[in-house]
Amino acid sequence: MECVYLLLVVFHFTAGCTLSGQRYREFTGLSGGSVLLPCSCSDLQTTPQRISWKAKTRTADFTEVITDDQYRDRVHLFNKDSPANLSLLISDLREEDGGDYICQTEKETRMFRLLVKGCDLVNSGKIEEVTGFSGESVLLPCSCTNLHFKPSTVRWEFNPRNSGTADEEIYPNQNKQHRNRARLTNQNSRNLTLLISNLTAEDQGVYRCSVQHDHKYIRLYIKARETPKHRPSEEPPATGDTEKERMWCIEL
Ligand SMILES: *[C@@H]1O[C@H](CO)[C@@H](O)[C@H](O)[C@H]1NC(C)=O
């Protein structure tokens, strides 16, 4: 009886999955990119009885990665196809994913520290000056120094007087004044430049572009296009181009 018990114990500790690799490793990913945290049984014919990935980040305290909302649709395991491969792929990385990760079987653990590099803005912290004209559109430039970064959060705010008054968010949420007039130049790109159309004098002020840990300012001046003072009757107004085209069509 004792012998059988001993055999079982020996079997338990020799069979099954022994993890390969170092106990602790560090990885760096880029915001918007992906990272593979490698964890596998040294004998690829073995299968662990239990596997879990836990994360300790600023927002999570050793949470179960696979079931956590923060990682929903962004994590992938490969052990369905190769049971000894316990590696974790995290895609569409966010800065808040940075932290400690643990690959855990019934026998062993492997620790990882993940650093996620975010977006540093061009002209970070500075004030750029831009002039726009009433009735026209203007581009307020904002971009990451490295275009491979994809910041997870972008926000544009407006302060008409740049006094102590609170900034009003105009992107992604739009205040009344900018409703339907402010949008990113390209929703899918990593360029955060804001396009404001149909400018009015009230749009003059200071705009702030911010990502997770960085921001920059743009001071926007609004001017009226100078309409020529001589022979005003022969000069079409600044917005007259479409009007002229329409007249042309009628004449045709
Ligand atoms: C586990 O799967 C990933 C994704 O296919 C692969 O990159 C990695 O090399 C595999 N690890 C092992 C030990 O086979």
Side-chain angles (χ1 to χ4, degrees), residues 4 69 71 76 92 124 146 150 189 196:
V4 170
D69 259 356
Y71 300 93
H76 187 76
D92 195 11
S124 159
N146 181 334
K150 185 182 168 200
S189 92
I196 306 179

Short mmCIF file of all heavy atoms in Angstrom, two decimals, residues 4 69 71 76 92 124 146 150 189 196:
data_model
loop_
_atom_site.label_atom_id
_atom_site.label_comp_id
_atom_site.label_asym_id
_atom_site.label_seq_id
_atom_site.Cartn_x
_atom_site.Cartn_y
_atom_site.Cartn_z
N VAL A 4 2.58 1.78 -3.32
CA VAL A 4 1.72 2.34 -4.36
C VAL A 4 1.60 3.85 -4.17
O VAL A 4 1.72 4.63 -5.12
CB VAL A 4 0.31 1.69 -4.32
CG1 VAL A 4 -0.66 2.45 -5.22
CG2 VAL A 4 0.41 0.24 -4.73
N ASP A 69 -12.37 42.02 -18.04
CA ASP A 69 -12.94 42.93 -19.06
C ASP A 69 -11.89 43.78 -19.76
O ASP A 69 -12.01 44.07 -20.94
CB ASP A 69 -13.98 43.85 -18.40
CG ASP A 69 -15.39 43.36 -18.69
OD1 ASP A 69 -15.51 42.37 -19.43
OD2 ASP A 69 -16.34 43.96 -18.16
N TYR A 71 -9.12 43.06 -20.78
CA TYR A 71 -8.40 42.36 -21.85
C TYR A 71 -9.33 41.71 -22.87
O TYR A 71 -8.88 41.00 -23.76
CB TYR A 71 -7.50 41.27 -21.24
CG TYR A 71 -6.48 41.83 -20.29
CD1 TYR A 71 -6.73 41.92 -18.93
CD2 TYR A 71 -5.26 42.29 -20.76
CE1 TYR A 71 -5.80 42.44 -18.06
CE2 TYR A 71 -4.31 42.82 -19.91
CZ TYR A 71 -4.59 42.89 -18.56
OH TYR A 71 -3.66 43.41 -17.70
N HIS A 76 -4.90 36.14 -26.35
CA HIS A 76 -5.05 34.86 -27.02
C HIS A 76 -4.09 33.83 -26.41
O HIS A 76 -2.95 34.13 -26.13
CB HIS A 76 -4.75 35.03 -28.52
CG HIS A 76 -5.03 33.81 -29.31
ND1 HIS A 76 -6.31 33.43 -29.65
CD2 HIS A 76 -4.20 32.89 -29.84
CE1 HIS A 76 -6.26 32.32 -30.34
NE2 HIS A 76 -5.00 31.95 -30.47
N ASP A 92 -3.27 44.97 -29.34
CA ASP A 92 -3.81 46.32 -29.18
C ASP A 92 -3.46 46.86 -27.78
O ASP A 92 -4.32 47.31 -27.03
CB ASP A 92 -5.33 46.28 -29.40
CG ASP A 92 -5.90 47.68 -29.59
OD1 ASP A 92 -5.10 48.62 -29.76
OD2 ASP A 92 -7.13 47.83 -29.57
N SER A 124 5.62 68.62 -27.39
CA SER A 124 5.00 68.34 -26.10
C SER A 124 5.09 69.54 -25.14
O SER A 124 6.15 70.14 -24.99
CB SER A 124 5.71 67.13 -25.50
OG SER A 124 5.52 67.09 -24.12
N ASN A 146 6.55 59.12 -32.62
CA ASN A 146 6.72 57.88 -33.37
C ASN A 146 5.34 57.45 -33.85
O ASN A 146 4.47 57.14 -33.06
CB ASN A 146 7.32 56.82 -32.45
CG ASN A 146 7.55 55.52 -33.17
OD1 ASN A 146 6.88 55.20 -34.15
ND2 ASN A 146 8.49 54.75 -32.67
N LYS A 150 -0.02 53.99 -31.11
CA LYS A 150 -1.42 54.32 -31.26
C LYS A 150 -1.96 54.61 -29.88
O LYS A 150 -2.21 53.69 -29.11
CB LYS A 150 -2.16 53.14 -31.89
CG LYS A 150 -3.59 53.47 -32.19
CD LYS A 150 -4.27 52.26 -32.75
CE LYS A 150 -5.76 52.47 -32.79
NZ LYS A 150 -6.45 51.19 -32.88
N SER A 189 -6.08 56.59 -38.32
CA SER A 189 -4.64 56.80 -38.33
C SER A 189 -4.17 57.14 -36.93
O SER A 189 -4.94 57.37 -36.01
CB SER A 189 -4.27 57.91 -39.30
OG SER A 189 -4.25 59.14 -38.62
N ILE A 196 -11.31 71.56 -37.73
CA ILE A 196 -12.51 72.31 -37.34
C ILE A 196 -13.00 73.04 -38.58
O ILE A 196 -12.23 73.75 -39.24
CB ILE A 196 -12.22 73.33 -36.23
CG1 ILE A 196 -11.55 72.64 -35.04
CG2 ILE A 196 -13.52 74.00 -35.76
CD1 ILE A 196 -11.23 73.58 -33.91
#
